[in-house]
Amino acid sequence: MKIYKSVLILLAMCSLMVRPQSIVAVEPPIPPKPLTTTEHIQKVFGDKAPLMTAIFKAESSLNTKNVNWNCHYYKIVINQKTGKEENKRYSTSCKTKAERVNAWSVDCGIAQINHRGKVCPEHLFKIENNLAIAKQKLDTQGLKAWSVYTNGTYKRFL
């Protein structure tokens, strides 16, 4: 009988220790809100963000899928040393859609990153990649890497 009582006491004590935990409902985490285009620019460029936003507005209208093709053209110039006419090659946006087949490069994405060839690589359409490359260009080449800066077009977007 003593063993029986001891076993009952032991079982009673175990049942107290193994009580089921109360169930607590946990809300799933709310995913972070995606950054806006201007927030991406702010994150990458900090205090230069307003200027870079104006440049990118002039370059691409802040369109992450923007593409512009570059063609070579020729113009006759007078050589200052010899006084003779020369054919000088220059690059600018292709003048017509039909000329795009002759493009030597494309400008891709929000910051219009130049890429040799006729097709933009997909990674340049991702804003994080495009802006990271733009930041490297700014750090190594300065603002003159963007023609809209050198010709002043960006100023109307400030």
Side-chain angles (χ1 to χ4, degrees), residues 62-145:
L62 298 184
N63 177 353
T64 58
K65 300 290 185 188
N66 195 295
V67 178
N68 284 296
W69 290 262
N70 301 305
C71 287
H72 284 128
Y73 296 99
Y74 294 89
K75 63 181 173 183
I76 296 178
V77 296
I78 306 295
N79 184 313
Q80 297 298 318
K81 292 181 182 177
T82 64
K84 293 183 180 180
E85 288 184 352
E86 293 181 353
N87 235 351
K88 183 173 179 173
R89 184 173 79 166
Y90 67 99
S91 177
T92 191
S93 294
C94 296
K95 295 176 182 173
T96 66
K97 284 184 180 181
E99 290 179 332
R100 290 178 184 172
V101 295
N102 300 320
W104 69 276
S105 73
V106 285
D107 297 331
C108 310
I110 189 171
Q112 292 293 273
I113 303 302
N114 185 264
H115 176 77
R116 286 193 180 257
K118 295 175 178 58
V119 179
C120 289
E122 276 302 309
H123 76 275
L124 290 180
F125 293 131
K126 293 186 178 186
I127 193 166
E128 296 88 354
N129 297 339
N130 198 280
L131 292 179
I133 294 168
K135 178 73 166 93
Q136 288 175 335
K137 281 188 170 298
L138 178 64
D139 292 345
T140 58
Q141 300 175 32
L143 293 166
K144 292 180 180 178

Side-chain angles (χ1 to χ4, degrees), residues 29-66:
I30 298 170
K33 186 176 138 189
L35 296 177
T36 65
T37 300
T38 52
E39 288 170 336
H40 275 289
I41 296 169
Q42 177 65 44
K43 182 179 171 184
V44 173
F45 293 98
D47 62 341
K48 290 187 174 137
L51 173 61
M52 298 312 292
T53 300
I55 288 171
F56 300 151
K57 281 181 179 179
E59 287 281 353
S60 67
S61 301
L62 298 184
N63 177 353
T64 58
K65 300 290 185 188
N66 195 295

Side-chain angles (χ1 to χ4, degrees), residues 3-34:
I3 294 177
Y4 180 70
K5 280 185 179 179
S6 295
V7 169
L8 283 176
I9 292 171
L10 185 62
L11 286 173
M13 288 174 60
C14 287
S15 71
L16 289 174
M17 292 189 316
V18 186
R19 275 185 27 210
Q21 297 288 330
S22 48
I23 298 172
V24 177
V26 177
E27 294 288 325
I30 298 170
K33 186 176 138 189

